[in-house]
């Protein structure tokens, strides 16, 4: 079932982050500065906690973890674990069990078609997705 809706899940994931980001600060430079000063708090129904390059969002029992690294044109980065948490806590998908390896296989076609890009640092391709 999830294979049929993986694009919707990705769009929902990005929209969730964008909703928070626009409430926190719609300007990317300001967002980065504010996230360094305001490491945790509440805004617009979101509970947030920045930790290193990562951020944990919670709203309506949905957990959304992502990494914010504006090292290139893809500021949102995530691992299969982070995406898996979003899927399993989002009741909209009706999924209560999902292996990271299964999610990795589902995300692979999105990398192949250019929807997602894997992170490359120092010539190493990481199992981190960027959007």
């Amino acid at each position: 079932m999830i294979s049929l809706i993986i694009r919707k899940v990705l769009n929902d994931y990005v929209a969730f982050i964008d909703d928070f980001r626009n409430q926190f600060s719609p300007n990317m430079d300001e967002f980065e500065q504010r996230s360094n000063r305001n490491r945790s708090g509440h805004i617009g129904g979101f509970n947030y906690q920045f930790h290193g390059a990562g951020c944990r969002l919670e709203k309506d029992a949905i957990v959304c973890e992502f990494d914010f690294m504006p090292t290139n044109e893809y500021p949102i980065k995530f691992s299969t674990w982070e995406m898996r948490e979003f899927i399993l806590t989002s009741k909209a998908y009706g999924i209560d069990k999902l292996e990271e390896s299964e999610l990795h296989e589902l995300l692979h076609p999105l990398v192949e078609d250019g929807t997602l890009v894997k992170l490359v640092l120092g010539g190493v391709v990481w199992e981190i997705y960027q959007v």
Side-chain angles (χ1 to χ4, degrees):
M1 175 186 153
I2 183 114
S3 61
L4 299 175
I5 62 167
I6 194 65
R7 286 182 192 280
K8 178 178 178 5
V9 170
L10 178 61
N11 288 337
D12 292 349
Y13 180 81
V14 171
F16 195 88
I17 294 167
D18 284 344
D19 183 20
F20 166 74
R21 204 169 62 189
N22 287 328
Q23 291 183 52
F24 191 75
S25 177
N27 175 287
M28 269 311 211
D29 291 332
E30 185 180 317
F31 179 88
E32 189 175 353
Q33 292 171 3
R34 285 192 66 198
S35 67
N36 286 327
R37 290 190 312 265
N38 303 316
R39 301 302 288 169
S40 63
H42 313 280
I43 189 168
F46 288 95
N47 293 323
Y48 67 89
Q49 181 177 15
F50 290 98
H51 48 89
C55 183
R56 177 184 177 92
L57 304 176
E58 292 183 39
K59 182 178 182 181
D60 300 328
I62 297 171
V63 175
C64 181
E65 297 256 3
F66 69 100
D67 297 315
F68 179 76
M69 292 174 45
T71 57
N72 57 29
E73 67 270 27
Y74 307 104
I76 298 172
K77 296 167 179 35
F78 64 91
S79 66
T80 53
W81 179 85
E82 291 166 322
M83 176 63 80
R84 181 177 170 270
E85 288 298 301
F86 179 77
I87 293 168
L88 294 178
T89 59
S90 299
K91 303 302 177 207
Y93 309 121
I95 297 168
D96 58 2
K97 185 177 180 188
L98 178 64
E99 298 295 326
E100 284 184 55
S101 59
E102 180 184 1
L103 183 55
H104 173 77
E105 292 300 316
L106 295 169
L107 293 173
H108 184 72
L110 300 181
V111 172
E112 287 183 339
D113 73 12
T115 302
L116 291 174
V117 176
K118 286 202 175 180
L119 176 64
V120 178
L121 287 175
V124 176
V125 179
W126 297 86
E127 288 301 314
I128 300 295
Y129 302 91
Q130 306 177 105
V131 65

